[in-house]
Amino acid sequence: MLTVAVLISGTGSNLRALLDEAADPDFPARVVAVGADREAPGFAHAEAYGIPTFFVPWVQFDSREAWGRELGEQLKVWQPDLVVLSGLMRLLPSSLVDEWSPRIINTHPAYLPEFPGAHGVRDALAAEVSQTGASVIVVDNGVDSGPILAQERVPVLRGDDEHALHERIKPVERRLLIDVVRRVATGDLDLATASTNHS
Ligand code: GAR
């Protein structure tokens, strides 16, 4: 059974989908802890499933390194096989990425390498593209630049605002994330190989 820690910053709807899936005894992964950089509303989903939460408040640290060190300490408590960034809106320090690589993955609401960063949906709308997408990647030391594990296109519709488009992207993200976690758990997807093959 693959053990997973999920890191969030917000509402945690993708986390919720993973928790719902992992409640199925046939799903080959379990969420063992949920962490955040703030008191995230998404903690409620973890609490509903009786899953431990921890938060490492970004505002209480004077550097990304110091924050990341504490986050790393918290992760070590749970010893997850995989760390999923599901809406964590902070870049991890390279020391933490290097320590966990390639066992950290991230979901992103755009078809990478298009529109990386904190505003993937807004940037796609501003660029007036007719389609954007969702991606799941291995985290590396760039901004959403790691090896792509899964991605799918999502159309931009006339009249879309950021919220409407994001809400249409999220179900696709959820499906991709759950599929990637399942494939990692079953051994169908080897993160080390996926990372090595990335050019
Ligand atoms: C998701 O769309 C996720 O991809 C995005 O934040 C949202 C979190 O939603 N992450 C990023 O944009 C990271 N660059 P949720 O809290 O409802 O799951």
Side-chain angles (χ1 to χ4, degrees), residues 10-15 86-89 106-109 117-118 144 166 170 173:
T11 55
S13 63
N14 290 339
L15 160 70
S86 186
L88 180 75
M89 301 308 281
N106 183 32
T107 66
H108 185 74
D144 298 321
H166 204 166
K170 279 185 183 184
E173 273 191 271

mmCIF file of all heavy atoms in Angstrom, residues 10-15 86-89 106-109 117-118 144 166 170 173, ligand 1:
data_model
loop_
_atom_site.group_PDB
_atom_site.id
_atom_site.type_symbol
_atom_site.label_atom_id
_atom_site.label_comp_id
_atom_site.label_asym_id
_atom_site.label_seq_id
_atom_site.Cartn_x
_atom_site.Cartn_y
_atom_site.Cartn_z
ATOM 1 N N GLY A 10 -5.430 25.670 0.197
ATOM 2 C CA GLY A 10 -6.763 26.256 0.052
ATOM 3 C C GLY A 10 -7.900 25.330 0.412
ATOM 4 O O GLY A 10 -7.875 24.654 1.444
ATOM 5 N N THR A 11 -8.861 25.269 -0.500
ATOM 6 C CA THR A 11 -10.112 24.560 -0.206
ATOM 7 C C THR A 11 -9.970 23.044 -0.261
ATOM 8 O O THR A 11 -10.789 22.330 0.291
ATOM 9 C CB THR A 11 -11.211 24.970 -1.204
ATOM 10 O OG1 THR A 11 -10.705 24.739 -2.530
ATOM 11 C CG2 THR A 11 -11.568 26.429 -1.060
ATOM 12 N N GLY A 12 -8.962 22.576 -0.939
ATOM 13 C CA GLY A 12 -8.671 21.154 -0.920
ATOM 14 C C GLY A 12 -9.681 20.277 -1.634
ATOM 15 O O GLY A 12 -9.890 19.125 -1.256
ATOM 16 N N SER A 13 -10.256 20.788 -2.730
ATOM 17 C CA SER A 13 -11.237 19.944 -3.427
ATOM 18 C C SER A 13 -10.550 18.759 -4.117
ATOM 19 O O SER A 13 -11.129 17.671 -4.205
ATOM 20 C CB SER A 13 -12.067 20.751 -4.427
ATOM 21 O OG SER A 13 -11.248 21.269 -5.439
ATOM 22 N N ASN A 14 -9.338 18.965 -4.575
ATOM 23 C CA ASN A 14 -8.610 17.832 -5.174
ATOM 24 C C ASN A 14 -8.205 16.827 -4.095
ATOM 25 O O ASN A 14 -8.252 15.613 -4.307
ATOM 26 C CB ASN A 14 -7.378 18.327 -5.939
ATOM 27 C CG ASN A 14 -7.760 19.082 -7.197
ATOM 28 O OD1 ASN A 14 -8.857 18.934 -7.724
ATOM 29 N ND2 ASN A 14 -6.861 19.905 -7.682
ATOM 30 N N LEU A 15 -7.807 17.349 -2.936
ATOM 31 C CA LEU A 15 -7.528 16.472 -1.786
ATOM 32 C C LEU A 15 -8.757 15.636 -1.475
ATOM 33 O O LEU A 15 -8.655 14.416 -1.272
ATOM 34 C CB LEU A 15 -7.156 17.338 -0.571
ATOM 35 C CG LEU A 15 -7.292 16.647 0.790
ATOM 36 C CD1 LEU A 15 -6.219 15.576 0.955
ATOM 37 C CD2 LEU A 15 -7.227 17.673 1.922
ATOM 38 N N SER A 86 -1.162 19.564 -3.702
ATOM 39 C CA SER A 86 -2.490 19.687 -4.294
ATOM 40 C C SER A 86 -3.030 21.071 -3.943
ATOM 41 O O SER A 86 -3.833 21.226 -3.028
ATOM 42 C CB SER A 86 -3.390 18.579 -3.753
ATOM 43 O OG SER A 86 -4.619 18.603 -4.425
ATOM 44 N N GLY A 87 -2.509 22.057 -4.676
ATOM 45 C CA GLY A 87 -2.922 23.426 -4.385
ATOM 46 C C GLY A 87 -2.059 24.084 -3.323
ATOM 47 O O GLY A 87 -2.485 25.066 -2.709
ATOM 48 N N LEU A 88 -0.855 23.562 -3.081
ATOM 49 C CA LEU A 88 0.086 24.267 -2.185
ATOM 50 C C LEU A 88 0.635 25.455 -2.975
ATOM 51 O O LEU A 88 1.276 25.278 -4.002
ATOM 52 C CB LEU A 88 1.240 23.354 -1.757
ATOM 53 C CG LEU A 88 2.241 24.041 -0.815
ATOM 54 C CD1 LEU A 88 1.661 24.172 0.601
ATOM 55 C CD2 LEU A 88 3.574 23.308 -0.757
ATOM 56 N N MET A 89 0.367 26.669 -2.491
ATOM 57 C CA MET A 89 0.714 27.857 -3.271
ATOM 58 C C MET A 89 2.039 28.461 -2.813
ATOM 59 O O MET A 89 2.196 29.680 -2.737
ATOM 60 C CB MET A 89 -0.430 28.876 -3.192
ATOM 61 C CG MET A 89 -1.748 28.339 -3.710
ATOM 62 S SD MET A 89 -1.672 27.615 -5.375
ATOM 63 C CE MET A 89 -1.681 29.108 -6.371
ATOM 64 N N ASN A 106 2.967 17.313 -8.297
ATOM 65 C CA ASN A 106 2.177 18.537 -8.177
ATOM 66 C C ASN A 106 1.073 18.534 -9.232
ATOM 67 O O ASN A 106 1.301 18.079 -10.354
ATOM 68 C CB ASN A 106 3.097 19.743 -8.424
ATOM 69 C CG ASN A 106 2.403 21.075 -8.247
ATOM 70 O OD1 ASN A 106 1.497 21.222 -7.425
ATOM 71 N ND2 ASN A 106 2.819 22.061 -9.026
ATOM 72 N N THR A 107 -0.090 19.035 -8.846
ATOM 73 C CA THR A 107 -1.143 19.233 -9.851
ATOM 74 C C THR A 107 -1.126 20.701 -10.250
ATOM 75 O O THR A 107 -0.854 21.579 -9.433
ATOM 76 C CB THR A 107 -2.540 18.887 -9.297
ATOM 77 O OG1 THR A 107 -2.889 19.815 -8.275
ATOM 78 C CG2 THR A 107 -2.575 17.480 -8.749
ATOM 79 N N HIS A 108 -1.451 20.953 -11.510
ATOM 80 C CA HIS A 108 -1.411 22.339 -11.991
ATOM 81 C C HIS A 108 -2.569 22.563 -12.965
ATOM 82 O O HIS A 108 -2.797 21.744 -13.863
ATOM 83 C CB HIS A 108 -0.066 22.625 -12.676
ATOM 84 C CG HIS A 108 0.067 24.051 -13.085
ATOM 85 N ND1 HIS A 108 0.287 25.057 -12.164
ATOM 86 C CD2 HIS A 108 -0.039 24.659 -14.288
ATOM 87 C CE1 HIS A 108 0.332 26.225 -12.801
ATOM 88 N NE2 HIS A 108 0.136 26.009 -14.085
ATOM 89 N N PRO A 109 -3.252 23.719 -12.828
ATOM 90 C CA PRO A 109 -4.432 23.953 -13.671
ATOM 91 C C PRO A 109 -4.099 24.594 -15.020
ATOM 92 O O PRO A 109 -4.667 25.615 -15.388
ATOM 93 C CB PRO A 109 -5.284 24.882 -12.789
ATOM 94 C CG PRO A 109 -4.279 25.674 -12.026
ATOM 95 C CD PRO A 109 -3.095 24.758 -11.802
ATOM 96 N N GLY A 117 3.174 28.596 -12.835
ATOM 97 C CA GLY A 117 3.119 29.611 -11.780
ATOM 98 C C GLY A 117 1.797 29.643 -11.045
ATOM 99 O O GLY A 117 0.943 28.775 -11.205
ATOM 100 N N ALA A 118 1.645 30.677 -10.242
ATOM 101 C CA ALA A 118 0.526 30.745 -9.294
ATOM 102 C C ALA A 118 -0.800 31.098 -9.952
ATOM 103 O O ALA A 118 -1.846 30.961 -9.332
ATOM 104 C CB ALA A 118 0.845 31.767 -8.204
ATOM 105 N N ASP A 144 7.006 24.753 -11.829
ATOM 106 C CA ASP A 144 6.148 23.866 -12.643
ATOM 107 C C ASP A 144 6.880 23.358 -13.886
ATOM 108 O O ASP A 144 6.282 23.237 -14.970
ATOM 109 C CB ASP A 144 4.849 24.601 -13.039
ATOM 110 C CG ASP A 144 4.024 24.990 -11.819
ATOM 111 O OD1 ASP A 144 3.958 24.185 -10.877
ATOM 112 O OD2 ASP A 144 3.465 26.093 -11.802
ATOM 113 N N HIS A 166 -11.656 27.602 -13.915
ATOM 114 C CA HIS A 166 -10.955 26.772 -12.925
ATOM 115 C C HIS A 166 -11.843 25.617 -12.470
ATOM 116 O O HIS A 166 -11.384 24.478 -12.323
ATOM 117 C CB HIS A 166 -10.536 27.643 -11.729
ATOM 118 C CG HIS A 166 -9.380 27.092 -10.958
ATOM 119 N ND1 HIS A 166 -8.661 27.817 -10.047
ATOM 120 C CD2 HIS A 166 -8.804 25.864 -10.949
ATOM 121 C CE1 HIS A 166 -7.719 27.068 -9.517
ATOM 122 N NE2 HIS A 166 -7.775 25.867 -10.054
ATOM 123 N N LYS A 170 -10.763 21.690 -12.671
ATOM 124 C CA LYS A 170 -10.501 20.879 -11.466
ATOM 125 C C LYS A 170 -10.944 19.418 -11.575
ATOM 126 O O LYS A 170 -10.198 18.525 -11.149
ATOM 127 C CB LYS A 170 -11.116 21.539 -10.232
ATOM 128 C CG LYS A 170 -10.245 22.656 -9.663
ATOM 129 C CD LYS A 170 -10.867 23.168 -8.370
ATOM 130 C CE LYS A 170 -10.081 24.332 -7.801
ATOM 131 N NZ LYS A 170 -10.642 24.751 -6.506
ATOM 132 N N GLU A 173 -8.242 17.689 -13.384
ATOM 133 C CA GLU A 173 -7.075 17.538 -12.504
ATOM 134 C C GLU A 173 -7.247 16.361 -11.550
ATOM 135 O O GLU A 173 -6.334 15.578 -11.339
ATOM 136 C CB GLU A 173 -6.938 18.788 -11.615
ATOM 137 C CG GLU A 173 -6.164 19.928 -12.166
ATOM 138 C CD GLU A 173 -5.903 20.942 -11.059
ATOM 139 O OE1 GLU A 173 -6.747 21.818 -10.874
ATOM 140 O OE2 GLU A 173 -4.865 20.851 -10.384
HETATM 141 C C1 GAR B 1 -5.834 23.413 -8.062
HETATM 142 O O1 GAR B 1 -6.402 23.775 -9.287
HETATM 143 C C2 GAR B 1 -4.347 23.276 -8.192
HETATM 144 O O2 GAR B 1 -3.931 22.764 -9.402
HETATM 145 C C3 GAR B 1 -3.914 24.710 -8.054
HETATM 146 O O3 GAR B 1 -4.680 25.182 -6.999
HETATM 147 C C4 GAR B 1 -5.961 24.551 -7.051
HETATM 148 C C5 GAR B 1 -6.303 24.047 -5.679
HETATM 149 O O4 GAR B 1 -7.640 23.692 -5.629
HETATM 150 N N1 GAR B 1 -2.506 24.798 -7.838
HETATM 151 C C6 GAR B 1 -1.738 25.709 -8.426
HETATM 152 O O5 GAR B 1 -2.172 26.590 -9.137
HETATM 153 C C7 GAR B 1 -0.275 25.588 -8.103
HETATM 154 N N2 GAR B 1 0.494 26.365 -9.007
HETATM 155 P P1 GAR B 1 -8.237 22.889 -4.392
HETATM 156 O O6 GAR B 1 -7.664 23.541 -3.129
HETATM 157 O O7 GAR B 1 -9.720 23.108 -4.498
HETATM 158 O O8 GAR B 1 -7.845 21.468 -4.556
#
